[in-house]
Amino acid sequence: AAGAAYRAIVRRNHHRQQRVELYPISLKDRLPTLSIPLRTTDRDVKLGLQSLLDQAYEDGRYDRTRYNRELEGGFDADDQKWIEELLRSAGKR
């Protein structure tokens, strides 16, 4: 988890025991698919975070965003360079 920009957490409560699963997420990797618990008698449901984010990006019309402004967010120099290259390769810069 050290060095990961983000984290996803899945909490499981089974038979009065609690288990937490931690998924480190790097800014440069595609988002993972997580196993989400429902009832103790049900199988986990797969939740594809990347496809969920991609759909929200399109539905929210973020694909129309103008990416010509300075980046905000406190990214380190390495991530900033990677983001700039990604935007250029996508024709956004």
Side-chain angles (χ1 to χ4, degrees):
Y6 304 96
R7 291 164 187 80
I9 295 174
V10 174
R11 184 180 310 255
R12 296 176 180 275
N13 292 313
H14 292 285
H15 307 290
R16 295 192 174 126
Q17 291 181 332
Q18 191 177 76
R19 189 174 94 208
V20 175
E21 298 170 3
L22 175 67
Y23 297 88
I25 301 172
S26 168
L27 180 65
K28 298 174 186 175
D29 295 333
R30 291 186 57 81
L31 294 173
T33 296
L34 304 180
S35 293
I36 305 298
L38 300 174
R39 295 185 193 115
T40 56
T41 56
D42 294 335
R43 291 185 198 194
D44 288 356
V45 172
K46 299 294 183 187
L47 176 63
L49 294 181
Q50 187 64 55
S51 59
L52 185 66
L53 182 67
D54 291 344
Q55 189 66 51
Y57 185 79
E58 289 178 28
D59 290 350
R61 298 182 179 193
Y62 293 103
D63 56 334
R64 297 179 184 178
T65 300
R66 294 183 185 179
Y67 291 94
N68 55 359
R69 296 185 357 188
E70 196 68 28
L71 292 176
E72 297 177 11
F75 300 105
D76 66 27
D78 196 36
D79 285 344
Q80 179 100 16
K81 181 180 175 186
W82 177 80
I83 293 167
E84 291 291 343
E85 289 173 5
L86 186 66
L87 289 172
R88 264 195 294 287
S89 69
K92 303 288 186 179
R93 293 269 186 184

Coordinates of all heavy atoms in Angstrom, one line a residue:
A1 N 0.8 -1.2 0.0 CA 0.0 0.0 0.0 C 0.9 1.3 0.0 O 0.4 2.3 -0.4 CB -0.9 0.0 1.2
A2 N 2.1 1.1 0.5 CA 3.0 2.3 0.5 C 3.3 2.7 -1.0 O 3.5 1.9 -1.8 CB 4.3 2.0 1.2
G3 N 3.2 4.0 -1.2 CA 3.5 4.5 -2.6 C 2.2 4.5 -3.5 O 2.3 5.1 -4.5
A4 N 1.1 3.9 -3.0 CA -0.1 4.0 -3.8 C -0.8 5.3 -3.6 O -0.9 5.7 -2.4 CB -1.0 2.8 -3.5
A5 N -1.2 5.9 -4.7 CA -1.9 7.2 -4.5 C -3.2 7.1 -3.9 O -3.7 8.0 -3.2 CB -2.0 7.9 -5.9
Y6 N -3.9 6.0 -4.2 CA -5.3 5.8 -3.7 C -5.4 4.4 -3.1 O -4.6 3.5 -3.4 CB -6.3 6.0 -4.8 CG -6.1 7.4 -5.5 CD1 -5.4 7.5 -6.6 CD2 -6.7 8.5 -4.9 CE1 -5.2 8.8 -7.2 CE2 -6.6 9.7 -5.5 CZ -5.8 9.9 -6.6 OH -5.6 11.1 -7.2
R7 N -6.5 4.2 -2.4 CA -6.8 2.9 -1.8 C -8.3 2.7 -1.9 O -9.1 3.6 -1.7 CB -6.4 2.8 -0.4 CG -4.8 2.8 -0.3 CD -4.4 3.1 1.2 NE -3.0 3.3 1.3 CZ -2.3 4.4 1.0 NH1 -3.0 5.4 0.5 NH2 -1.0 4.4 1.1
A8 N -8.7 1.4 -2.1 CA -10.1 1.0 -2.0 C -10.1 0.0 -0.8 O -9.2 -0.8 -0.7 CB -10.6 0.4 -3.3
I9 N -11.2 0.1 -0.1 CA -11.4 -0.8 1.1 C -12.7 -1.5 1.0 O -13.7 -0.9 0.7 CB -11.3 0.0 2.4 CG1 -9.9 0.6 2.6 CG2 -11.6 -0.9 3.6 CD1 -9.8 1.5 3.8
V10 N -12.7 -2.8 1.2 CA -13.9 -3.6 1.3 C -13.9 -4.2 2.7 O -13.0 -4.8 3.1 CB -13.8 -4.8 0.2 CG1 -15.1 -5.7 0.4 CG2 -13.8 -4.2 -1.2
R11 N -15.0 -4.0 3.3 CA -15.2 -4.4 4.7 C -16.2 -5.6 4.7 O -17.3 -5.5 4.1 CB -15.8 -3.3 5.6 CG -15.9 -3.6 7.0 CD -16.4 -2.5 7.8 NE -15.7 -1.3 7.5 CZ -14.8 -0.7 8.3 NH1 -14.5 -1.2 9.5 NH2 -14.2 0.4 8.0
R12 N -15.8 -6.7 5.3 CA -16.6 -7.9 5.4 C -17.0 -8.1 6.9 O -16.2 -8.1 7.8 CB -15.9 -9.1 4.9 CG -15.6 -9.0 3.5 CD -14.7 -10.2 3.0 NE -14.4 -10.0 1.6 CZ -15.2 -10.4 0.6 NH1 -16.4 -11.0 0.9 NH2 -14.9 -10.2 -0.6
N13 N -18.3 -8.3 7.1 CA -18.8 -8.6 8.5 C -19.5 -10.0 8.4 O -20.6 -10.1 7.9 CB -19.8 -7.6 9.0 CG -19.2 -6.3 9.2 OD1 -18.1 -6.2 9.9 ND2 -19.8 -5.2 8.7
H14 N -18.8 -11.0 8.9 CA -19.3 -12.4 8.8 C -19.2 -13.0 10.2 O -18.2 -13.0 10.8 CB -18.5 -13.3 7.8 CG -18.7 -12.9 6.4 ND1 -19.9 -13.1 5.7 CD2 -17.9 -12.2 5.6 CE1 -19.8 -12.7 4.5 NE2 -18.6 -12.1 4.4
H15 N -20.4 -13.4 10.7 CA -20.4 -14.1 12.0 C -19.7 -13.4 13.1 O -18.8 -13.9 13.8 CB -19.9 -15.5 11.8 CG -20.5 -16.3 10.7 ND1 -21.8 -16.7 10.8 CD2 -20.1 -16.7 9.5 CE1 -22.1 -17.4 9.7 NE2 -21.1 -17.3 8.9
R16 N -20.0 -12.1 13.2 CA -19.4 -11.2 14.3 C -17.9 -11.0 14.1 O -17.2 -10.6 15.0 CB -19.7 -11.8 15.7 CG -21.2 -11.7 15.9 CD -21.4 -12.0 17.4 NE -22.9 -11.8 17.6 CZ -23.6 -12.7 18.2 NH1 -23.1 -13.8 18.6 NH2 -24.9 -12.4 18.4
Q17 N -17.4 -11.4 13.0 CA -16.0 -11.2 12.7 C -15.9 -10.1 11.6 O -16.7 -10.2 10.7 CB -15.2 -12.4 12.3 CG -15.0 -13.4 13.3 CD -14.2 -14.6 12.8 OE1 -14.3 -14.9 11.6 NE2 -13.5 -15.3 13.7
Q18 N -15.0 -9.2 11.7 CA -14.8 -8.2 10.7 C -13.5 -8.4 10.0 O -12.5 -8.5 10.7 CB -14.9 -6.8 11.3 CG -15.1 -5.7 10.3 CD -15.3 -4.4 11.0 OE1 -14.3 -3.9 11.5 NE2 -16.5 -3.9 11.0
R19 N -13.5 -8.3 8.7 CA -12.3 -8.4 7.9 C -12.3 -7.2 6.9 O -13.3 -6.9 6.3 CB -12.2 -9.7 7.2 CG -10.9 -10.0 6.5 CD -10.8 -11.4 6.0 NE -11.2 -11.3 4.6 CZ -11.7 -12.2 3.9 NH1 -12.0 -13.4 4.4 NH2 -12.0 -12.1 2.6
V20 N -11.2 -6.6 6.8 CA -11.0 -5.5 5.9 C -10.0 -5.9 4.8 O -8.9 -6.4 5.1 CB -10.6 -4.2 6.6 CG1 -10.3 -3.1 5.7 CG2 -11.6 -3.8 7.7
E21 N -10.4 -5.7 3.6 CA -9.5 -5.9 2.5 C -9.0 -4.5 1.9 O -9.9 -3.7 1.6 CB -10.1 -6.7 1.4 CG -10.5 -8.1 1.9 CD -11.4 -8.8 0.9 OE1 -11.7 -8.3 -0.2 OE2 -11.9 -9.9 1.2
L22 N -7.7 -4.3 1.8 CA -7.2 -3.1 1.3 C -6.6 -3.3 -0.1 O -5.8 -4.2 -0.3 CB -6.1 -2.6 2.2 CG -5.3 -1.4 1.8 CD1 -6.3 -0.1 1.8 CD2 -4.1 -1.1 2.7
Y23 N -7.0 -2.5 -1.1 CA -6.6 -2.6 -2.4 C -5.8 -1.3 -2.8 O -6.5 -0.2 -3.0 CB -7.7 -2.7 -3.4 CG -8.5 -4.0 -3.2 CD1 -9.5 -4.1 -2.3 CD2 -8.1 -5.2 -3.9 CE1 -10.3 -5.3 -2.1 CE2 -8.9 -6.3 -3.7 CZ -9.9 -6.4 -2.8 OH -10.6 -7.5 -2.6
P24 N -4.5 -1.3 -2.8 CA -3.7 -0.1 -3.3 C -4.0 0.2 -4.7 O -4.0 -0.8 -5.5 CB -2.3 -0.5 -3.0 CG -2.2 -2.0 -2.9 CD -3.6 -2.4 -2.6
I25 N -4.1 1.4 -5.1 CA -4.4 1.8 -6.5 C -3.4 2.9 -6.9 O -3.4 4.0 -6.3 CB -5.8 2.3 -6.6 CG1 -6.8 1.2 -6.2 CG2 -6.1 2.8 -8.0 CD1 -8.3 1.7 -6.1
S26 N -2.6 2.6 -7.9 CA -1.7 3.6 -8.4 C -2.4 4.5 -9.4 O -3.3 4.0 -10.1 CB -0.5 2.8 -9.1 OG 0.2 3.7 -9.9
L27 N -2.0 5.7 -9.5 CA -2.6 6.6 -10.4 C -2.4 6.2 -11.9 O -3.3 6.4 -12.7 CB -1.9 8.0 -10.3 CG -2.4 9.1 -11.1 CD1 -3.9 9.4 -10.9 CD2 -1.6 10.4 -11.0
K28 N -1.3 5.4 -12.2 CA -1.0 5.1 -13.5 C -1.6 3.7 -14.0 O -1.4 3.4 -15.1 CB 0.5 5.0 -13.7 CG 1.2 6.4 -13.4 CD 2.7 6.3 -13.4 CE 3.3 7.6 -13.0 NZ 4.7 7.6 -12.9
D29 N -2.2 3.0 -13.1 CA -2.8 1.7 -13.4 C -4.3 1.8 -13.6 O -4.9 2.7 -13.0 CB -2.5 0.7 -12.3 CG -1.0 0.4 -12.2 OD1 -0.3 0.5 -13.2 OD2 -0.6 0.0 -11.1
R30 N -4.9 0.9 -14.4 CA -6.3 0.9 -14.5 C -6.9 0.5 -13.1 O -6.2 -0.2 -12.4 CB -6.7 -0.2 -15.6 CG -6.3 0.3 -17.0 CD -6.9 -0.6 -18.1 NE -8.3 -0.8 -18.0 CZ -9.2 0.0 -18.5 NH1 -8.8 1.2 -19.1 NH2 -10.5 -0.3 -18.5
L31 N -8.1 0.9 -12.9 CA -8.7 0.6 -11.6 C -9.1 -0.9 -11.6 O -9.4 -1.5 -12.6 CB -10.0 1.4 -11.4 CG -9.7 2.9 -11.3 CD1 -11.0 3.7 -11.2 CD2 -8.9 3.2 -10.0
P32 N -9.0 -1.5 -10.4 CA -9.3 -2.9 -10.3 C -10.7 -3.3 -10.2 O -11.6 -2.4 -10.1 CB -8.6 -3.3 -8.9 CG -8.8 -2.0 -8.1 CD -8.6 -0.9 -9.1
T33 N -11.0 -4.6 -10.4 CA -12.3 -5.1 -10.1 C -12.3 -5.7 -8.7 O -11.4 -6.4 -8.3 CB -12.6 -6.2 -11.1 OG1 -12.7 -5.7 -12.4 CG2 -14.0 -6.9 -10.8
L34 N -13.3 -5.3 -7.9 CA -13.3 -5.7 -6.5 C -14.5 -6.7 -6.3 O -15.5 -6.7 -7.0 CB -13.6 -4.5 -5.6 CG -12.7 -3.3 -5.7 CD1 -13.1 -2.2 -4.7 CD2 -11.2 -3.7 -5.4
S35 N -14.3 -7.6 -5.3 CA -15.3 -8.5 -4.9 C -16.1 -7.9 -3.8 O -15.5 -7.6 -2.7 CB -14.7 -9.8 -4.5 OG -14.1 -10.5 -5.6
I36 N -17.3 -7.6 -4.0 CA -18.1 -6.9 -3.0 C -19.1 -7.9 -2.3 O -19.9 -8.5 -2.9 CB -19.0 -5.7 -3.6 CG1 -18.1 -4.8 -4.4 CG2 -19.8 -5.0 -2.6 CD1 -17.1 -4.1 -3.6
P37 N -19.0 -8.0 -1.0 CA -19.8 -8.9 -0.2 C -21.2 -8.4 -0.1 O -21.5 -7.2 0.0 CB -19.2 -9.0 1.1 CG -18.5 -7.7 1.3 CD -18.0 -7.3 -0.1
L38 N -22.2 -9.3 -0.2 CA -23.6 -9.0 0.1 C -24.0 -9.7 1.4 O -23.4 -9.4 2.4 CB -24.4 -9.4 -1.1 CG -24.1 -8.8 -2.4 CD1 -24.9 -9.4 -3.6 CD2 -24.3 -7.3 -2.4
R39 N -25.0 -10.5 1.4 CA -25.3 -11.3 2.6 C -24.3 -12.4 2.7 O -23.7 -12.9 1.8 CB -26.7 -11.8 2.4 CG -27.8 -10.8 2.4 CD -29.2 -11.5 2.4 NE -30.2 -10.5 2.0 CZ -30.9 -10.5 0.9 NH1 -30.8 -11.4 0.1 NH2 -31.7 -9.5 0.7
T40 N -24.2 -13.0 3.9 CA -23.3 -14.1 4.1 C -23.7 -15.3 3.3 O -22.9 -16.2 3.0 CB -23.3 -14.5 5.6 OG1 -24.6 -14.8 6.1 CG2 -22.7 -13.4 6.5
T41 N -24.9 -15.4 2.9 CA -25.4 -16.6 2.1 C -25.2 -16.3 0.6 O -25.4 -17.2 -0.2 CB -26.9 -16.9 2.4 OG1 -27.6 -15.7 2.1 CG2 -27.1 -17.3 3.8
D42 N -24.9 -15.1 0.2 CA -24.7 -14.8 -1.2 C -23.2 -14.8 -1.6 O -22.4 -14.5 -0.8 CB -25.3 -13.4 -1.5 CG -26.8 -13.3 -1.3 OD1 -27.4 -14.4 -1.4 OD2 -27.3 -12.2 -1.1
R43 N -23.0 -15.0 -2.9 CA -21.7 -14.9 -3.5 C -21.3 -13.4 -3.6 O -22.2 -12.6 -3.7 CB -21.6 -15.5 -4.8 CG -21.7 -17.0 -4.8 CD -21.5 -17.5 -6.2 NE -22.0 -18.9 -6.3 CZ -21.7 -19.6 -7.3 NH1 -20.9 -19.2 -8.3 NH2 -22.2 -20.9 -7.4
D44 N -20.0 -13.1 -3.6 CA -19.6 -11.7 -3.8 C -20.0 -11.3 -5.2 O -20.1 -12.1 -6.2 CB -18.1 -11.6 -3.7 CG -17.6 -11.7 -2.3 OD1 -18.4 -11.8 -1.4 OD2 -16.3 -11.7 -2.1
V45 N -20.2 -10.0 -5.4 CA -20.6 -9.4 -6.7 C -19.3 -8.7 -7.1 O -18.6 -8.0 -6.4 CB -21.7 -8.4 -6.5 CG1 -21.9 -7.6 -7.8 CG2 -23.0 -9.1 -6.1
K46 N -19.0 -8.9 -8.4 CA -17.8 -8.2 -9.0 C -18.2 -6.8 -9.4 O -19.2 -6.5 -10.0 CB -17.3 -8.9 -10.2 CG -16.8 -10.4 -9.9 CD -15.6 -10.4 -9.1 CE -15.2 -11.8 -8.9 NZ -14.1 -11.9 -7.9
L47 N -17.4 -5.8 -8.9 CA -17.6 -4.4 -9.2 C -16.3 -3.9 -10.0 O -15.3 -3.8 -9.4 CB -17.8 -3.6 -8.0 CG -17.9 -2.1 -8.1 CD1 -19.2 -1.8 -9.0 CD2 -18.0 -1.4 -6.8
G48 N -16.5 -3.7 -11.2 CA -15.4 -3.2 -12.1 C -15.3 -1.7 -11.9 O -16.0 -0.9 -12.5
L49 N -14.3 -1.2 -11.1 CA -14.2 0.2 -10.8 C -13.8 1.0 -12.1 O -14.3 2.1 -12.3 CB -13.1 0.5 -9.7 CG -13.5 0.0 -8.4 CD1 -12.4 0.3 -7.4 CD2 -14.8 0.5 -7.8
Q50 N -13.0 0.4 -13.0 CA -12.6 1.2 -14.2 C -13.8 1.4 -15.1 O -14.0 2.5 -15.6 CB -11.5 0.4 -14.9 CG -10.9 1.2 -16.1 CD -10.2 2.5 -15.6 OE1 -9.3 2.5 -14.8 NE2 -10.6 3.7 -16.1
S51 N -14.6 0.3 -15.3 CA -15.7 0.5 -16.2 C -16.8 1.4 -15.6 O -17.4 2.2 -16.3 CB -16.4 -0.8 -16.6 OG -16.8 -1.5 -15.4
L52 N -16.9 1.4 -14.3 CA -17.8 2.3 -13.6 C -17.4 3.8 -13.7 O -18.2 4.6 -14.1 CB -17.9 2.0 -12.1 CG -18.8 2.7 -11.2 CD1 -20.3 2.4 -11.6 CD2 -18.6 2.3 -9.8
L53 N -16.1 4.0 -13.6 CA -15.5 5.4 -13.8 C -15.6 5.8 -15.2 O -16.0 7.0 -15.5 CB -14.1 5.4 -13.3 CG -13.4 6.8 -13.4 CD1 -14.1 7.8 -12.4 CD2 -11.9 6.7 -13.1
D54 N -15.3 4.9 -16.2 CA -15.5 5.2 -17.6 C -16.9 5.6 -17.9 O -17.1 6.6 -18.6 CB -15.0 4.0 -18.5 CG -13.6 3.7 -18.4 OD1 -12.8 4.6 -17.9 OD2 -13.2 2.6 -18.8
Q55 N -17.9 4.9 -17.4 CA -19.3 5.2 -17.7 C -19.7 6.6 -17.0 O -20.4 7.4 -17.7 CB -20.2 4.1 -17.1 CG -21.6 4.3 -17.6 CD -21.8 4.1 -19.1 OE1 -21.3 3.2 -19.6 NE2 -22.4 5.1 -19.7
A56 N -19.2 6.8 -15.8 CA -19.5 8.1 -15.2 C -18.9 9.3 -15.9 O -19.4 10.4 -16.1 CB -19.0 8.1 -13.7
Y57 N -17.7 9.0 -16.5 CA -17.0 10.0 -17.3 C -17.8 10.4 -18.5 O -17.9 11.6 -18.8 CB -15.6 9.5 -17.7 CG -14.7 10.4 -18.4 CD1 -14.0 11.4 -17.8 CD2 -14.6 10.4 -19.8 CE1 -13.1 12.3 -18.4 CE2 -13.7 11.2 -20.5 CZ -13.0 12.2 -19.8 OH -12.2 13.1 -20.5
E58 N -18.3 9.4 -19.2 CA -19.2 9.7 -20.4 C -20.5 10.3 -20.0 O -20.9 11.3 -20.6 CB -19.4 8.4 -21.2 CG -18.1 7.9 -21.9 CD -18.3 6.6 -22.6 OE1 -19.5 6.4 -23.0 OE2 -17.4 5.9 -22.8
D59 N -21.2 9.7 -19.0 CA -22.5 10.1 -18.6 C -22.5 11.6 -18.1 O -23.4 12.3 -18.2 CB -23.1 9.2 -17.6 CG -23.5 7.9 -18.2 OD1 -23.5 7.7 -19.5 OD2 -23.9 6.9 -17.4
G60 N -21.4 11.9 -17.4 CA -21.2 13.2 -16.8 C -20.7 14.2 -17.8 O -20.5 15.4 -17.4
R61 N -20.5 13.8 -19.0 CA -20.0 14.6 -20.1 C -18.6 15.2 -19.8 O -18.2 16.3 -20.3 CB -21.0 15.7 -20.4 CG -22.3 15.1 -20.9 CD -23.2 16.2 -21.3 NE -24.5 15.6 -21.8 CZ -25.4 16.2 -22.5 NH1 -25.3 17.5 -22.7 NH2 -26.5 15.6 -22.9
Y62 N -17.8 14.5 -18.9 CA -16.5 15.0 -18.7 C -15.6 14.8 -19.9 O -14.5 15.5 -19.9 CB -15.9 14.2 -17.5 CG -16.6 14.6 -16.2 CD1 -17.5 13.7 -15.6 CD2 -16.4 15.8 -15.5 CE1 -18.2 14.0 -14.4 CE2 -17.0 16.1 -14.4 CZ -17.9 15.2 -13.8 OH -18.6 15.5 -12.7
D63 N -16.0 14.0 -20.8 CA -15.2 13.9 -22.1 C -15.2 15.2 -22.9 O -14.4 15.4 -23.8 CB -15.7 12.7 -22.9 CG -17.2 12.8 -23.3 OD1 -18.0 13.5 -22.5 OD2 -17.6 12.3 -24.3
R64 N -16.1 16.1 -22.5 CA -16.1 17.5 -23.1 C -15.2 18.5 -22.4 O -15.2 19.6 -22.8 CB -17.5 17.9 -23.2 CG -18.4 17.0 -24.1 CD -19.8 17.5 -24.1 NE -20.6 16.6 -24.9 CZ -21.9 16.8 -25.0 NH1 -22.5 17.8 -24.5 NH2 -22.6 15.9 -25.7
T65 N -14.6 18.1 -21.3 CA -13.8 19.0 -20.5 C -12.6 19.5 -21.3 O -12.0 18.7 -22.1 CB -13.3 18.2 -19.3 OG1 -14.4 17.8 -18.5 CG2 -12.4 19.1 -18.4
R66 N -12.3 20.7 -21.2 CA -11.1 21.3 -21.8 C -9.9 21.1 -20.9 O -9.9 21.7 -19.8 CB -11.3 22.8 -22.1 CG -12.4 23.0 -23.2 CD -12.5 24.4 -23.5 NE -13.7 24.5 -24.4 CZ -14.1 25.7 -24.9 NH1 -13.4 26.8 -24.5 NH2 -15.1 25.7 -25.7
Y67 N -9.0 20.4 -21.3 CA -7.8 20.1 -20.5 C -6.6 20.9 -20.7 O -5.5 20.5 -20.6 CB -7.4 18.6 -20.7 CG -8.5 17.6 -20.1 CD1 -9.5 17.1 -20.9 CD2 -8.4 17.3 -18.8 CE1 -10.4 16.2 -20.4 CE2 -9.4 16.4 -18.3 CZ -10.3 15.9 -19.1 OH -11.3 15.0 -18.6
N68 N -6.8 22.2 -21.1 CA -5.7 23.1 -21.5 C -5.3 23.9 -20.3 O -4.3 24.7 -20.4 CB -6.1 23.9 -22.7 CG -7.3 24.7 -22.5 OD1 -8.0 24.6 -21.4 ND2 -7.7 25.5 -23.4
R69 N -5.9 23.8 -19.1 CA -5.5 24.5 -18.0 C -4.5 23.8 -17.2 O -4.3 22.6 -17.3 CB -6.8 24.8 -17.1 CG -7.8 25.7 -17.8 CD -8.9 26.1 -17.0 NE -9.0 25.5 -15.6 CZ -10.0 25.6 -14.8 NH1 -11.1 26.3 -15.2 NH2 -10.0 25.1 -13.6
E70 N -3.8 24.5 -16.3 CA -2.8 24.0 -15.4 C -3.5 22.9 -14.5 O -4.6 23.1 -14.0 CB -2.2 25.1 -14.5 CG -0.9 24.8 -13.8 CD 0.2 24.6 -14.8 OE1 0.2 25.2 -15.9 OE2 1.1 23.8 -14.5
L71 N -2.8 21.8 -14.3 CA -3.3 20.8 -13.4 C -3.3 21.2 -11.9 O -2.4 21.9 -11.5 CB -2.4 19.5 -13.5 CG -2.4 18.8 -14.8 CD1 -1.5 17.6 -14.8 CD2 -3.8 18.2 -15.1
E72 N -4.3 20.8 -11.2 CA -4.4 21.0 -9.8 C -4.4 19.7 -9.1 O -4.9 18.7 -9.7 CB -5.7 21.8 -9.4 CG -5.8 23.2 -10.1 CD -7.1 23.8 -9.8 OE1 -7.8 23.4 -8.9 OE2 -7.3 24.9 -10.4
G73 N -4.0 19.6 -7.9 CA -4.1 18.3 -7.2 C -2.9 17.9 -6.4 O -2.8 16.9 -5.8
G74 N -1.8 18.7 -6.5 CA -0.6 18.4 -5.7 C 0.1 17.1 -6.2 O 0.6 16.3 -5.4
F75 N 0.1 16.9 -7.5 CA 0.8 15.7 -8.0 C 2.3 15.9 -7.9 O 2.8 17.0 -8.1 CB 0.4 15.4 -9.5 CG -1.0 15.2 -9.6 CD1 -1.9 16.2 -10.2 CD2 -1.6 14.0 -9.3 CE1 -3.2 16.0 -10.4 CE2 -3.0 13.8 -9.4 CZ -3.8 14.8 -10.0
D76 N 3.1 14.8 -7.7 CA 4.5 14.9 -7.7 C 5.0 15.0 -9.1 O 4.2 14.9 -10.1 CB 5.2 13.7 -7.0 CG 5.0 12.4 -7.6 OD1 4.8 12.3 -8.9 OD2 5.0 11.3 -6.9
A77 N 6.2 15.4 -9.3 CA 6.8 15.7 -10.6 C 6.6 14.5 -11.6 O 6.3 14.7 -12.8 CB 8.2 16.1 -10.5
D78 N 6.9 13.3 -11.1 CA 6.8 12.1 -12.0 C 5.3 11.9 -12.4 O 5.1 11.7 -13.6 CB 7.3 10.9 -11.2 CG 7.6 9.7 -12.0 OD1 8.1 9.9 -13.2 OD2 7.3 8.6 -11.6
D79 N 4.4 12.0 -11.5 CA 3.0 11.9 -11.9 C 2.5 13.0 -12.8 O 1.8 12.8 -13.8 CB 2.1 11.8 -10.7 CG 2.2 10.5 -10.0 OD1 2.7 9.5 -10.6 OD2 1.7 10.4 -8.8
Q80 N 3.0 14.2 -12.5 CA 2.6 15.4 -13.4 C 3.1 15.1 -14.8 O 2.3 15.4 -15.8 CB 3.3 16.6 -12.8 CG 3.0 17.9 -13.6 CD 1.9 18.7 -13.0 OE1 1.5 18.6 -11.9 NE2 1.4 19.6 -13.8
K81 N 4.3 14.7 -15.0 CA 4.8 14.4 -16.3 C 4.0 13.3 -17.0 O 3.7 13.4 -18.2 CB 6.3 13.9 -16.2 CG 6.9 13.7 -17.5 CD 8.4 13.2 -17.3 CE 9.0 12.9 -18.7 NZ 10.3 12.3 -18.6
W82 N 3.7 12.2 -16.3 CA 2.9 11.1 -16.8 C 1.5 11.6 -17.3 O 1.0 11.3 -18.3 CB 2.7 10.0 -15.8 CG 1.9 8.9 -16.3 CD1 2.2 7.9 -17.1 CD2 0.5 8.7 -15.9 NE1 1.1 7.1 -17.3 CE2 0.1 7.5 -16.6 CE3 -0.4 9.4 -15.1 CZ2 -1.2 7.0 -16.5 CZ3 -1.7 8.9 -15.0 CH2 -2.1 7.7 -15.7
I83 N 0.9 12.5 -16.5 CA -0.5 13.0 -16.8 C -0.4 13.9 -18.0 O -1.2 13.8 -18.9 CB -1.0 13.8 -15.6 CG1 -1.3 12.9 -14.4 CG2 -2.3 14.6 -16.0 CD1 -1.6 13.7 -13.1
E84 N 0.6 14.7 -18.1 CA 0.8 15.6 -19.3 C 1.0 14.7 -20.6 O 0.4 15.0 -21.6 CB 2.0 16.5 -19.1 CG 1.8 17.6 -18.1 CD 0.8 18.7 -18.4 OE1 0.5 18.8 -19.6 OE2 0.4 19.4 -17.5
E85 N 1.8 13.7 -20.5 CA 2.0 12.8 -21.6 C 0.7 12.1 -22.0 O 0.4 11.9 -23.2 CB 3.1 11.8 -21.3 CG 4.5 12.4 -21.3 CD 5.5 11.4 -20.8 OE1 5.2 10.2 -20.6 OE2 6.7 11.8 -20.6
L86 N -0.1 11.7 -21.0 CA -1.3 11.0 -21.3 C -2.3 11.9 -22.0 O -3.0 11.5 -22.9 CB -1.9 10.5 -19.9 CG -3.2 9.7 -20.0 CD1 -2.9 8.3 -20.7 CD2 -3.7 9.5 -18.6
L87 N -2.4 13.2 -21.5 CA -3.3 14.1 -22.1 C -2.9 14.5 -23.6 O -3.7 14.6 -24.5 CB -3.3 15.4 -21.3 CG -4.1 15.3 -19.9 CD1 -3.9 16.6 -19.1 CD2 -5.6 15.0 -20.2
R88 N -1.6 14.6 -23.8 CA -1.1 14.8 -25.1 C -1.4 13.7 -26.1 O -1.9 13.9 -27.2 CB 0.4 15.1 -25.1 CG 0.8 16.5 -25.1 CD 2.3 16.8 -25.4 NE 3.2 16.2 -24.5 CZ 3.5 16.7 -23.3 NH1 2.8 17.8 -22.9 NH2 4.3 16.2 -22.5
S89 N -1.2 12.4 -25.6 CA -1.4 11.3 -26.5 C -2.9 11.1 -26.7 O -3.3 10.5 -27.8 CB -0.9 10.0 -25.8 OG -1.6 9.6 -24.7
A90 N -3.8 11.6 -25.9 CA -5.2 11.6 -26.1 C -5.7 12.8 -26.9 O -6.9 12.9 -27.1 CB -6.0 11.5 -24.7
G91 N -4.8 13.7 -27.3 CA -5.2 14.8 -28.1 C -5.9 15.9 -27.3 O -6.6 16.7 -27.8
K92 N -5.7 15.9 -25.9 CA -6.3 16.9 -25.1 C -5.4 18.1 -24.8 O -5.9 19.0 -24.2 CB -6.7 16.2 -23.7 CG -7.6 15.1 -23.8 CD -9.0 15.5 -24.2 CE -9.9 14.3 -24.2 NZ -11.3 14.6 -24.6
R93 N -4.2 18.0 -25.2 CA -3.2 19.2 -25.0 C -2.7 19.6 -26.3 O -2.4 18.8 -27.2 CB -2.1 18.8 -24.1 CG -2.5 18.5 -22.7 CD -2.4 19.7 -21.9 NE -2.7 19.4 -20.5 CZ -2.7 20.2 -19.5 NH1 -2.5 21.5 -19.7 NH2 -3.0 19.9 -18.3

